Amino acid sequence: LNFKKMRNFILIFGTVVSAGFFIACGNEDKSGGINLDSLPPELKTIHQKYFSDNKNPEFYSEKSIYFFKNGEYDSAYACMNKAIYFSGQKPKYYLSLADLYLAANETKKSKQILQQCVKSDSTNVEALMKLGELFFLVKKYDSAMFYINRSILRDENNTRAYFAKGMILKESGDTTSAVEAFQNVIESDAKYYNAYIQLGLLFAAGNNKIAIDYYNNALRMEPKSIEAMYNKAKFFQDIADWKKAEEQYKNILLLNPQHQDANFNMGYVYI
């Protein structure tokens, strides 16, 4: 998604719902309050799906996604707020609203929604995870770790949380602990591609050849991953194993002849 600034919009949490709130998303009766034939096909299908249930939160959730995809952000946020209202403030819709704000690069509003969700339900693992990931995105690593650790306390088998913890530790400079976190991920889920990539990068930074094993494991998960191939080629280049580097770059160029970095590095290898 292209990040755009949201137009002025007032969040409404729960008990007081103004007339303007409903108008922003359309003041529908059972028929939708409008001529359905005048609607775009996708929106018309959504209205028809919930023809006799205009208080169904899923109706407003689906409309919200539709409006967001079409750049109508005010209507998208208003519809998701109506989903929250008609659902009795279920966390699911708070999380969806937070995702919309994050996709629009409104990180502060996304954080506020997630904190509201956690305040309502302190055991909600998904909300805790998203808060941790959000703080990671804005490089507030202490806050990120706080929420990720809380999510792990609620779900000790959450591989996504351990991966996020590994990324926080890596960015904070604690590479030893980061390696441990990523290894915990692959012990729980041997098919976790991104953990293999991160382990490869961490060991490659020290010119440790075990990096190749991790890249190979990543390629077993995704055999046509140019990312893994490139990382592997770059490692061979960095340790001056020119023949193997050339072989890997050739593999990349077979899949993507216009790959700029592979072409440039191939020239470097030949020199």
Side-chain angles (χ1 to χ4, degrees):
L1 290 168
N2 292 321
F3 292 155
K4 296 180 180 178
K5 288 294 182 182
M6 182 192 73
R7 295 182 292 263
N8 291 333
F9 183 75
I10 300 174
L11 284 176
I12 298 174
F13 290 107
T15 56
V16 179
V17 183
S18 71
F21 168 51
F22 284 94
I23 292 170
C25 186
N27 188 15
E28 300 88 355
D29 56 24
K30 287 185 179 181
S31 67
I34 53 178
N35 179 3
L36 293 184
D37 291 333
S38 70
L39 296 175
E42 186 178 351
L43 189 55
K44 180 180 178 180
T45 298
I46 294 170
H47 274 261
Q48 289 173 329
K49 183 177 178 181
Y50 297 98
F51 184 82
S52 61
D53 190 7
N54 70 327
K55 293 185 179 180
N56 188 323
E58 279 298 296
F59 169 53
Y60 294 104
S61 178
E62 290 185 28
K63 282 184 69 176
S64 175
I65 301 303
Y66 167 82
F67 284 130
F68 193 88
K69 287 192 302 183
N70 287 276
E72 299 180 51
Y73 298 126
D74 284 358
S75 294
Y77 304 138
C79 279
M80 197 61 75
N81 269 291
K82 289 183 78 170
I84 292 170
Y85 175 76
F86 284 119
S87 73
Q89 302 185 48
K90 285 186 178 178
K92 169 184 175 179
Y93 300 106
Y94 279 114
L95 293 171
S96 295
L97 182 57
D99 285 344
L100 294 183
Y101 279 125
L102 184 59
N105 205 27
E106 293 283 353
T107 54
K108 183 176 288 187
K109 288 185 173 65
S110 183
K111 180 190 72 172
Q112 291 170 346
I113 296 294
L114 291 169
Q115 288 175 329
Q116 177 75 11
C117 186
V118 169
K119 185 177 179 180
S120 300
D121 179 9
S122 62
T123 66
N124 191 297
V125 172
E126 185 66 15
L128 293 168
M129 276 293 308
K130 286 181 181 292
L131 267 171
E133 291 167 343
L134 180 56
F135 278 114
F136 173 76
L137 285 175
V138 297
K139 301 184 185 301
K140 294 186 177 180
Y141 300 128
D142 288 343
S143 295
M145 188 64 79
F146 172 76
Y147 285 106
I148 292 298
N149 282 335
R150 281 182 65 182
S151 73
I152 290 172
L153 284 174
R154 295 295 176 184
D155 181 4
E156 294 181 356
N157 298 315
N158 188 343
T159 53
R160 177 178 150 207
Y162 281 107
F163 180 81
K165 186 171 184 175
M167 293 300 296
I168 295 166
L169 291 165
K170 177 187 172 184
E171 293 299 314
S172 301
D174 188 351
T175 55
T176 300
S177 297
V179 166
E180 183 179 345
F182 292 131
Q183 286 175 336
N184 283 338
V185 172
I186 59 177
E187 285 173 9
S188 298
D189 182 358
K191 295 183 178 181
Y192 207 113
Y193 167 86
N194 285 324
Y196 288 118
I197 290 292
Q198 291 302 321
L199 284 164
L201 290 170
L202 287 167
F203 282 104
N207 289 335
N208 189 326
K209 289 187 177 182
I210 197 173
I212 297 301
D213 293 333
Y214 287 117
Y215 292 144
N216 285 338
N217 280 324
L219 285 165
R220 274 190 274 275
M221 302 304 106
E222 297 186 19
K224 293 185 179 181
S225 168
I226 288 179
E227 176 188 34
M229 290 180 190
Y230 181 83
N231 289 348
K232 189 176 175 181
K234 187 62 168 59
F235 177 78
F236 284 130
Q237 178 181 326
D238 290 341
I239 63 172
D241 191 335
W242 312 117
K243 186 175 181 179
K244 288 182 179 178
E246 177 189 4
E247 179 184 329
Q248 293 303 313
Y249 286 130
K250 284 182 176 178
N251 288 338
I252 293 170
L253 295 173
L254 285 173
L255 293 173
N256 181 6
Q258 305 305 317
H259 194 286
Q260 291 185 353
D261 289 336
N263 275 299
F264 181 88
N265 288 358
M266 181 77 88
Y268 181 86
V269 166
Y270 287 144
I271 290 172

